[in-house]
Amino acid sequence: MAFDTFKRYLIGQPFPTSRDVHERLDKIRALAVFASDPISSNAYATEAIMSVLVVLGSGGLALTWPLGLAVAALVLMVIFSYIQTILHYPDGGGAYTVAKDNLGTIPSLLAAAALLTDYVLTVSVSASAGVRAVTSAFPEALPYRVLLAIGAIALITWVNLRGVRESGTIFALPTYAFVGGGLLVIGLGLLRSLGWLGAAPLPSINRALESQVDLVGLAYAWLLLRAFAGGCTALTGIEAISNGVRAFKPPESRNAVITMVAMGGMAMSLFVGITYLATHLHVVPSHTESVLSQLTRLIAGRGTLYFWVQASTMLILFLAANTGYQDFPRLASFLARDGFLPRWMQNRGDRLVYSSGIVVLAVVSSIFVLVFQGDEIAMLPLYALGVMLSFSLSQAGMFRLMGRIAHLKLGEHLRTEVTEIHYERGVAWKRMLNAVGALITFLVFLVLVGTKFLEGAFIVVLAIPVLVGLFLEVNRHYDRVSLALRTKDLSVRDLTPVADVVLVPIADVHRGVLRALMYAKRLSSDVRAISVTTSPAMRARVERRWARFPEITDGVQLILLEYDFRDILTPLVDYIVDVNNREFPDQLVTVVIPEFVAVTLWERLLHNQTANTLRRLLHDLQDIVVIDVPYHILSTAEWRAGARRASLWEGPRPADDGEDGPDEASA
Amino acid sequence: MAFDTFKRYLIGQPFPTSRDVHERLDKIRALAVFASDPISSNAYATEAIMSVLVVLGSGGLALTWPLGLAVAALVLMVIFSYIQTILHYPDGGGAYTVAKDNLGTIPSLLAAAALLTDYVLTVSVSASAGVRAVTSAFPEALPYRVLLAIGAIALITWVNLRGVRESGTIFALPTYAFVGGGLLVIGLGLLRSLGWLGAAPLPSINRALESQVDLVGLAYAWLLLRAFAGGCTALTGIEAISNGVRAFKPPESRNAVITMVAMGGMAMSLFVGITYLATHLHVVPSHTESVLSQLTRLIAGRGTLYFWVQASTMLILFLAANTGYQDFPRLASFLARDGFLPRWMQNRGDRLVYSSGIVVLAVVSSIFVLVFQGDEIAMLPLYALGVMLSFSLSQAGMFRLMGRIAHLKLGEHLRTEVTEIHYERGVAWKRMLNAVGALITFLVFLVLVGTKFLEGAFIVVLAIPVLVGLFLEVNRHYDRVSLALRTKDLSVRDLTPVADVVLVPIADVHRGVLRALMYAKRLSSDVRAISVTTSPAMRARVERRWARFPEITDGVQLILLEYDFRDILTPLVDYIVDVNNREFPDQLVTVVIPEFVAVTLWERLLHNQTANTLRRLLHDLQDIVVIDVPYHILSTAEWRAGARRASLWEGPRPADDGEDGPDEASA
């Protein structure tokens, strides 16, 4: 009751199912909603490159710029591939759908596992990076970063459990504020570096770093690879639009493509601009202040613009975390629908959201924040891995699809399991680009595995096959259930017949037991009351009380089992199993459990949980039907209200003719 | 299964009930068993006085000696009173029994509450003090004192759960070793202080202490009272023998009295000796080394005798903790028998011990050790409080008993509820002594409450009435249960009749549901299958599949409840309640729940716990009989074993005629 009120207060009144009309987004708001994840990557992507190169000293940091350009080229290729996906899967084509439609079950599960880990890390990384925007501005908040990050996750979880729709205009603000602030800083920085507005200030570089390394050949290449792999976090979130094509206003595909292009333009302007300036202003990554914060401070000072950028960074990162809350539960519900996750992950809660997926996501991402102490740069090696694998699988899927299109003639079309494809021109070069994209993202995936394995990537490398194994195991279970319950070719003769016997375990003879015996006598002519006695006194007592109610006990066999231990359920269950196996094999045997029920939890603690335990034991046996005949005991409050009346007609002392009260009702 | 094996390994094979013959103790071993608690108090009682007086400096510490003598006088009076109790309650007369027999329910419950807190603290204090004997000898173990104390409690708990009998000769050794070692140190100390064996060494006293205080009048008296109250911990455990008279060999009372006198002699020799020497050797209490350890070191050096005393101190203290494990579960079982604690506290476990009491004791005493960080001196203010209250109540009870004896004439006798009393001489002065004892212990109780309230005694002061309230509430509950279930004047007409209706909640039509419907049709001619549908598609599907099994569904009414939310159990329960209230008021309505049962826990997680939740909801309603008709799904392993066969006669794909598998079996 109290819990229910609390839940109503926290989550709000339930929504009826019929209220579930999907609101469509115009391009302005769609951009804000879907692009928050890839655009927010700019808060850490450049830093991820630099934090590897920093071991080379200031000369090494200069390499950030060419590596950044390479990452930007990769982004363009991936965006092109996803535009193809949007056009061919107008109902939404995440990596899972595309891989399922073109590559088969295992690749689609690999993509799903990769994406699920990716979404979890989206939340952990974005929440941590958002908090970092705060602690960069206010270093005194640094000791509380873990607490703040988990608090942010809790807040986002709460908002999502309440089912706030993703279309609110307020959600658009942080994205545009961040893009605007970022571009302003970049523009200002470029102007100042060209000598306008006065020369750009030059930070003091720790020269000691230069002497520490002297790498050549392979080691040098390895370092560059690692830095490049780090920069690939800029790619995270690009797939979001392709998942949500149906959320756009018609013409959906066209609007989605336009939004995709705009998103790519914004994200890459920011990435290239930040990387260029960070390289040329000789910013050095630091544990206490983010590169973006340093850059802004160098260019604009700690004025209004600085706090504008830090605040909008925090907000867009929290918004990016929020996209994890859109994507994870949706993908989990797809997997549940296809029988690869528990079916209940499909159920929507009071507010029409997939509550279980939201809660799972919140818990797992909080664990990551805790383990990595809210350090998002340390989490990045795990992050990009899943993204790259899903990109690669998705593009490989598109490559297969393009291959099928290549066989079509003008005017022909065919249906795959998910979508409809038509003849189109220029398939050959599109297909080639998909192949290159699949290959490069797969290579980046391998580089990430190789370079970041010991830094934490092993967690994802292990988690993905474990998740796939889990999906398959869940699927096998549902196949089995389906087969066991199937009704095809079923005839009535196949159903287990009901044995003409009813067993009633009793410990004493009281009202509850008498009620159960009356119920049992209606069911069968062979009713047996079974009592386990642990002493001659107990035996005599049961027999004496039994004899007192001939009206009810006549025709019922009283079976007394003597037992010299205290776990009385053991002989009871043994007897029941014995009756089932020897007297009525392959028939349903009925057990009637008389149980008295106390109303409050506190009162339930006062009784042996004998009835519950017996029910649980019998539950594990095949072919045992359990009947609970309850007998309710009033609560103290109800009792007090009725006590006066009761004492008038029952006499002052409630003891039963001088004997002890009943032991336990059930067994 | 795994848990069961582990339990067998840990606890051992169960004992049959018939094995429970009480072993009788001779005086030598009885002394060791019962006296370990009071004798072990000498490990800290003197220190408890000194730790108060230490604020007065060395001049103040000299007051330890007269205060010690006052405590010893009080002990003698209490011992005398308990000898009377032993003689008048040969079946065992703890404070609970004596108060119940002479003063009534509430005083007896007060005594019981006081004793239960006392037993808990016996364990906490003795385990902590035992560890202190170790850390005094080996200061490097000091940081681990809490861990060591809780480890000791765990060990003692384990031994008690295994049901080791209290009579083992090995239990006698620590007591005699401690008494022997202690007396040897005292003897040696006296000889050295008399100048024999060379002059006693004099410790350096921290003179700085003297200047800190300058107390006069009331403040001084208050300090003396607090110090005296501290010394009263020497009284703890004296009542043990009176509880366990039946454990002695016949003549029980006589042997118990002799043991009591011997125990008093030993305990007081040690207490007086230690106090005398501690005062005259100018020992100063210290946080890192106990007074007893300092004393032994001063007198005997860090030689064999020192380690002998420390080791036997540790052992006797653990043995004293063990007496808490004898007394607490026994008293709890008495209270449970009388209906003041849950009945299951009477149940004895596999090894014929009151397992639940043992576990409760272990948990609560560990919490005290944790909260007080294993500092037994800090716990002492709580400890003596309960003891004093129970002494006072017990002696007040004896005072009443003596009053009744005073009315008897020569040769007369009468029976109280618990014992039989005869005419005896000298009742008047015995009664007077009991009155004085009751009064003084009650005054000490008040002094303890007053002086130690803020030091922790408030915990016990609050706990005792809370416990008494709990006892009474439990008792009221059992009275109600007894009244509700009583069979006196019962006739068959009073029992609720069974309504001729059976309700079967279903979500789908599969083998499990068909089995349940067949079962239901045997019970009644009015069977109604109830399905909550949340969409037109679901409704159509249920109707289509329903129509497919006319052999079974004929004669069964299909009731479809449309519902626009997701919590489908709400309309289901509403419907059931409605049927009960409107169609069949005051009759038992039967609900058949078809349930498929997965074998492994892991597989159960894959399904909505719909059936369980429904059962729990219905359980709270009056007059609803619930029938579980199970349908077992094989586990993966069983499945793999049988898969080959199944695939031969069922075809390769287990899906059911192209439709999705069944949703959930139950509702």
Side-chain angles (χ1 to χ4, degrees), chain B residues 26-83:
Chain B
D26 57 42
K27 290 191 286 288
I28 300 292
R29 287 188 295 162
L31 179 66
V33 169
F34 290 116
S36 62
D37 187 4
I39 289 179
S40 70
S41 310
N42 288 301
Y44 45 76
T46 304
E47 183 159 355
I49 302 177
M50 299 180 92
S51 66
V52 176
L53 295 176
V54 75
V55 293
L56 295 176
S58 65
L61 283 177
L63 292 166
T64 309
W65 173 233
L67 286 173
L69 287 181
V71 170
L74 184 60
V75 170
L76 287 182
M77 188 177 299
V78 170
I79 286 180
F80 170 79
S81 171
Y82 270 103
I83 288 174

Side-chain angles (χ1 to χ4, degrees), chain B residues 552-590:
Chain B
I552 294 165
T553 56
D554 261 7
V556 179
Q557 202 183 337
L558 175 64
I559 295 170
L560 295 169
L561 305 172
E562 279 178 37
Y563 192 56
D564 201 10
F565 294 84
R566 274 78 54 212
D567 54 327
I568 53 163
L569 293 183
T570 309
L572 210 51
V573 172
D574 286 350
Y575 179 84
I576 292 167
V577 169
D578 203 53
V579 167
N580 190 14
N581 289 347
R582 296 208 309 192
E583 297 185 53
F584 305 96
D586 297 321
Q587 297 184 44
L588 291 176
V589 168
T590 304

Side-chain angles (χ1 to χ4, degrees), chain A residues 30-31 33-41 44 74-87 89-99 110-123 126 232-248 256-257 259-261 263-264 267-268 320-331 334 383-395 398 441:
Chain A
L31 180 67
V33 169
F34 289 116
S36 62
D37 187 3
I39 289 179
S40 70
S41 309
Y44 45 77
L74 184 60
V75 169
L76 288 183
M77 188 176 300
V78 171
I79 286 179
F80 170 81
S81 170
Y82 269 103
I83 288 174
Q84 297 304 320
T85 308
I86 291 168
L87 292 172
Y89 287 91
D91 285 343
Y96 173 64
T97 311
V98 174
L110 273 174
L115 283 171
L116 288 182
T117 59
D118 174 38
Y119 296 146
V120 168
L121 285 158
T122 299
V123 176
S126 302
C232 286
T233 49
L235 277 72
T236 56
I238 289 182
E239 79 288 358
I241 291 180
S242 72
N243 285 323
V245 182
R246 303 250 309 164
F248 283 82
V257 168
T259 309
M260 189 81 170
V261 170
M263 179 196 81
M268 282 310 101
N322 191 58
T323 62
Y325 280 85
Q326 307 287 335
D327 295 333
F328 183 98
R330 182 161 44 199
L331 180 55
F334 288 170
Y383 190 15
L385 211 60
V387 182
M388 286 301 152
L389 184 57
S390 71
F391 282 168
S392 183
L393 286 164
S394 156
Q395 299 201 56
M398 289 307 293
T441 46

Side-chain angles (χ1 to χ4, degrees), chain B residues 502-524:
Chain B
V502 176
L503 308 175
V504 188
I506 66 169
D508 191 3
V509 184
H510 55 64
R511 273 178 191 252
V513 166
L514 295 174
R515 176 189 260 204
L517 287 173
M518 276 188 47
Y519 194 95
K521 283 173 79 174
R522 280 173 48 99
L523 303 184
S524 168

